[in-house]
Amino acid sequence: MEWAWLIPVFSFVAFPLIVLFGKPLPGKGAPIAILAIGGGFVLFWVALLGYLNVVPGVNNCFTSSATGVFTCDYRISWFHAGLPGLEDSVELAWGMIIDPLALVMLGMVTFVALMVQIYSLGYMKGDPRFSWYYAYHALFAAAMLTLALADNFLLLYVAWELVGVCSYLLIGFWYERPAARNAAKKAFIVTRLGDVGMLLGILLLWREVGSFSMLDAFEAAHNGVLNQGAATAAGLLLFLGAMGKSAQFPFHVWLPDAMEGPTPVSALIHAATMVAAGVYLVARAYPIFMASGDALLVVAVIGLITALLASTIALASTDLKRILAYSTISHLGLMMLSLGALGYTAALFHLMAHGFSKALLFLGAGSVLHSTEEQDIRNMGGLRKPMPLTAFLFSLGALSLGGIPILAGFWSKDEVLSAVSHNMNPIFIVLALFTALLSALYMARAMFVVFFGPARTHGHRHSHPIHDAQLSMAAPMLLLGVLAAGFGLISFNWPGSYQGIGSFLFFKEHEGFHITWWIAIVSTLLALAAFFAAYLVYVRQRISLEGARTAFAPLIRVVENKYYMDHLYQWLVDRVVLVASAAIALVDRAVVNDVGVNGPAEVVGRVGIAMRRHVTGHLYSYALVMTLGLIGLAIFWWLRAG
C-alpha cells in the first residue's frame, strides 16, 4: 500500500514527457499515457491485496472510530505555516488514505481511463493534436487519482481544481469550433461557483478543527468537537462543490454542453472522473454530513430534483450524446439521493455500476458517431445490421442502466431505491420509482431508435460506408460490456470469506445485500413496461405519439427548452450581472478613479498653475513687485505707528 502514491505519479510524469517528446515518438506519445495508466491499474491491485492482508496497528493502519472502517494513512510533512511550537502553527502535509472508498475509486478510475485511452487510439487517429490529447488525458487521470487518495482537504482541493482545468482543456479540445470554446468556458465558470463554496467549507473546518486533515475533521465531528451548526455549515458548503462537479441542480447546465468535446472525453468525464468527484466528496466527508443531519436532507432533496428534471429532459432530447449526458445527471441525482437517505453503500455501488455502463454507452455512441458522422437520433435507424457488435454492446449498457434484471444496473438501482424506501418520506420513493421509469424509457428510446428502428437517411452525408468499431475501439467496449452485465454479482455473498460489497464498502456498520421484494418487483415491471412501450412506439410503430405531442405541447416545449434554465442564467448575466458590473464600473471610474485618485492630483495641479502666474522671468516685473511691496510695508508701518 505504501507504493499507492505512484498510481497518480505515473500519469503525472507521462504528461510532461508527452508534451516534450511525444510527437517524434511512435504513437505520438499515446503509448506513454497508456502505459502510465496501465501501471496505475496494476498498482491498484497491489494496493488492494496489501490492504486485505494488513492487520491493525501495522503500517499506520487502524479502525477509524468516526467511520468504523479499517483505514491506513500515510503522510509526509510539507511545511509549517506559522512558527513551530505555537498554538496557531499549522502543519501542511502531503498524505494519502487507503480505505475501501479510496480503493474503489482507484480501481474504477484506472480501469475506465485505461479503456478510454485504448479506445481513443482508433477514435482520435489522424487528429492534428493527437499528442496533446493524450497529454491532457494523462493529467486528467492523475488529478482524479490524487483526489481519491488525498488525506487532507488542502491536497484534495488542489487536485479538485486540477480536475476542473483538465476538463476545460478536454471539453474545448477542438477549440476552433465556437461551440466547443463556449462549452469549455461554461463548464469552467459554472463549476467554479460551487468550488468557492467548497473552499469556504474547507476554511471553516480548518478554523473549527485547527487542521486540514480529513481524519482530524472526521474525529472532531464524531466526538462533538465540531458542533452541529458548524457541521451543517461545512457540509452544505462542501456540497456546493459537489453540486458543481457532479452537475446537480441548478449547476447541471454545463454537463450537456460538455458533449462538444471528443466522445471518449465524454466517457471519461461521465464515468470515472469529473462527475464522480462530487459523489466521492460527499461519501468521503460523510462523518461531517452525519454529524449535521440537516445537510443530508438537503443532499437528498437536491438529488431527487436533479434526477427528475434530467430524466424528463433526456426523454425529449434528440442528440444521442446529450441523451446520455442527461442520463448521467439523473443517475448522479439518484446517487446523491441515496447518500442523503443513508444509503452509503448503495450510492457507491451504483456509482461503480453506472460508471462501467455509462462508459460503455458513450464509447458505443462514439462508435456510431465515428462511423455515421451523425449525432441526431432522428437521422439514425437500423444500425444493428451494419454495426452488430456496437448495437449489442450499446443495448447491453442501455438495458443495465434501464434496470433490467439481472444486469449490474438492476442490482445497484434497487439498492438505492431500498435505502430511499427505508429511510425517507414515502413521497421520495414514489418520485424515485417514477425517475426509474423515465430512466428506462429514455434508454429504450435511444437504443431502439438508433439500432432497431427503421433505417433513415443516415447514409447520405458519408464519405465512407457505415462500419462497425475497429479492434482498438471494440476491445475496450467488450471488457466494459462484461462489467455492465456481471458487475452486480459482487453484491452477493459467495462461498468463502467474501460477504458481498457491503462487507467491504460501508459506513459504520457492515451492510449485507438485501432485496426489498416489492421494490424489486415494481421496478422490474416498470422497466419492462418502459422497454416494451418503446419497442411498440419506435420499432413496431404500433403506437403514435402525435396526439400526446399535441395535447402536451406547452409542457413538451418547456422540457425541450430544458426548463429555461439556460435562458434564466443568460437573463441573469445580461440583466443583473452586466448591469451591476456597469454600475460598479461607473462608480469606479467616476468616483474612485476620477475623484478619489485623479481628484487630488488635479487640484494640486490647478493650484500650482494658479500660483505660478507671478513667475514671469522678467526683471522689471520682479522690481515692480518688490517696489510695491516696500510701499505697502511702509504704508502699513505708518498706519500702525499713527
Side-chain angles (χ1 to χ4, degrees):
M1 287 185 295
E2 295 177 356
W3 296 102
W5 62 274
L6 286 172
I7 297 175
V9 167
F10 286 158
S11 292
F12 270 127
V13 171
F15 172 70
L17 289 178
I18 297 171
V19 170
L20 295 174
F21 310 111
K23 285 187 177 181
L25 295 176
K28 297 183 178 180
I32 299 175
I34 294 172
L35 286 173
I37 197 64
F41 184 58
V42 171
L43 268 184
F44 152 71
W45 288 103
V46 174
L48 176 61
L49 292 174
Y51 177 83
L52 295 175
N53 292 323
V54 77
V55 295
V58 177
N59 293 334
N60 302 311
C61 297
F62 54 91
T63 298
S64 170
S65 60
T67 64
V69 174
F70 185 63
T71 303
C72 299
D73 182 32
Y74 304 95
R75 68 177 68 177
I76 58 172
S77 179
W78 184 20
F79 66 86
H80 286 270
L83 297 176
L86 295 181
E87 290 185 2
D88 58 351
S89 177
V90 177
E91 180 185 3
L92 300 179
W94 297 118
M96 63 178 182
I97 290 179
I98 303 293
D99 66 355
L101 177 58
L103 289 168
V104 160
M105 293 300 296
L106 291 177
M108 186 174 70
V109 173
T110 53
F111 178 75
V112 172
L114 178 60
M115 294 299 100
V116 170
Q117 290 191 21
I118 294 173
Y119 177 95
S120 298
L121 290 172
Y123 191 90
M124 297 299 293
K125 184 178 180 181
D127 192 282
R129 293 190 293 275
F130 188 80
S131 293
W132 280 107
Y133 174 84
Y134 271 93
Y136 294 155
H137 252 282
L139 188 61
F140 201 6
M144 187 63 199
L145 291 167
T146 303
L147 190 155
L149 282 171
D151 82 327
N152 65 82
F153 284 109
L154 187 62
L155 178 57
L156 180 141
Y157 190 74
V158 172
W160 186 273
E161 293 303 316
L162 189 55
V163 166
V165 170
C166 294
S167 68
Y168 170 82
L169 294 172
L170 285 169
I171 292 169
F173 183 75
W174 287 323
Y175 54 79
E176 60 273 11
R177 304 178 183 178
R181 295 198 300 270
N182 293 333
K185 289 186 290 185
K186 187 175 183 179
F188 192 79
I189 293 170
V190 172
T191 54
R192 291 292 78 69
L193 296 176
D195 292 354
V196 171
M198 179 181 171
L199 178 59
L200 292 175
I202 292 173
L203 294 176
L204 175 60
L205 287 172
W206 172 74
R207 191 192 72 175
E208 295 293 325
V209 179
S211 170
F212 287 110
S213 169
M214 293 182 187
L215 296 178
D216 291 346
F218 300 160
E219 290 296 329
H222 175 68
N223 297 328
V225 175
L226 186 68
N227 62 61
Q228 186 174 1
T232 299
L236 291 176
L237 288 169
L238 291 176
F239 184 55
L240 280 175
M243 288 168 63
K245 280 289 191 290
S246 286
Q248 298 296 286
F249 175 86
F251 298 145
H252 64 283
V253 293
W254 69 268
L255 191 54
D257 288 5
M259 299 303 96
E260 295 296 335
T263 303
V265 171
S266 302
L268 190 60
I269 289 175
H270 286 251
T273 52
M274 183 83 161
V275 299
V279 177
Y280 168 80
L281 176 62
V282 176
R284 173 57 75 198
Y286 214 60
I288 296 172
F289 285 88
M290 288 292 291
S292 163
D294 295 336
L296 282 179
L297 179 60
V298 174
V299 172
V301 171
I302 293 295
L304 181 59
I305 293 172
T306 303
L308 274 172
L309 292 182
S311 59
T312 56
I313 300 173
L315 199 56
S317 297
T318 56
D319 184 293
L320 180 58
K321 290 176 66 176
R322 278 174 168 76
I323 292 172
L324 298 181
Y326 282 111
S327 168
T328 298
I329 297 172
S330 180
H331 281 273
L332 290 167
L334 287 176
M335 296 172 208
M336 291 297 188
L337 172 60
S338 181
L339 287 168
L342 306 181
Y344 179 89
T345 300
L348 295 172
F349 182 27
H350 193 54
L351 177 67
M352 292 183 285
H354 170 269
F356 299 133
S357 299
K358 188 52 61 68
L360 173 61
L361 285 168
F362 266 109
L363 296 188
S367 178
V368 172
L369 272 57
H370 191 261
S371 180
T372 66
E373 303 169 8
E374 182 64 68
Q375 287 189 204
D376 194 327
I377 63 173
R378 294 171 295 185
N379 297 327
M380 301 179 189
L383 292 179
R384 72 185 185 280
K385 293 181 179 179
M387 307 181 70
L389 179 62
T390 299
F392 171 74
L393 293 172
F394 187 96
S395 300
L396 188 62
L399 292 167
S400 176
L401 283 189
I404 297 297
I406 55 174
L407 303 176
F410 168 76
W411 305 111
S412 62
K413 181 203 65 182
D414 269 32
E415 284 292 280
V416 169
L417 295 175
S418 294
V420 174
S421 173
H422 293 153
N423 300 310
M424 301 298 290
N425 186 285
I427 189 64
F428 281 83
I429 186 60
V430 171
L431 294 176
L433 284 168
F434 181 61
T435 301
L437 171 64
L438 295 178
S439 177
L441 277 173
Y442 62 66
M443 282 288 97
R445 173 173 172 259
M447 180 183 79
F448 285 131
V449 169
V450 174
F451 295 102
F452 298 94
R456 294 180 176 86
T457 57
H458 49 257
H460 73 284
R461 293 173 53 186
H462 309 151
S463 57
H464 54 78
I466 296 176
H467 57 84
D468 216 334
Q470 56 186 281
L471 180 61
S472 64
M473 297 167 65
M477 291 167 61
L478 283 167
L479 291 174
L480 288 166
V482 172
L483 291 173
F487 184 73
L489 298 177
I490 72 166
S491 61
F492 299 112
N493 298 341
W494 292 95
S497 60
Y498 182 72
Q499 298 299 312
I501 184 67
S503 66
F504 177 73
L505 184 61
F506 60 89
F507 180 79
K508 286 294 187 182
E509 297 178 358
H510 288 210
E511 186 175 347
F513 180 78
H514 53 276
I515 295 179
T516 304
W517 285 105
W518 76 267
I519 289 179
I521 293 171
V522 170
S523 66
T524 299
L525 291 176
L526 290 174
L528 292 174
F531 274 87
F532 183 66
Y535 173 76
L536 293 178
V537 172
Y538 300 110
V539 180
R540 303 297 296 176
Q541 297 184 332
R542 298 276 183 87
I543 302 175
S544 174
L545 298 179
E546 293 305 318
R549 290 194 183 100
T550 302
F552 298 101
L555 178 60
I556 293 174
R557 186 161 50 251
V558 171
V559 175
E560 287 178 340
N561 282 281
K562 298 167 284 188
Y563 295 95
Y564 295 99
M565 287 300 299
D566 286 292
H567 297 78
L568 174 61
Y569 282 125
Q570 193 62 54
W571 181 87
L572 288 173
V573 169
D574 293 340
R575 300 298 177 86
V576 178
V577 175
L578 293 181
V579 171
S581 300
I584 293 172
L586 179 62
V587 171
D588 176 64
R589 184 175 61 255
V591 178
V592 177
N593 225 20
D594 295 350
V595 177
V597 177
N598 295 339
E602 188 172 347
V603 169
V604 171
R606 289 181 180 276
V607 171
I609 291 173
M611 292 179 65
R612 75 181 186 186
R613 295 185 182 278
H614 69 286
V615 183
T616 64
H618 299 141
L619 181 60
Y620 58 82
S621 298
Y622 300 153
L624 176 62
V625 171
M626 292 170 64
T627 303
L628 292 174
L630 288 172
I631 294 172
L633 288 172
I635 294 172
F636 175 76
W637 177 79
W638 179 74
L639 291 173
R640 187 174 180 183

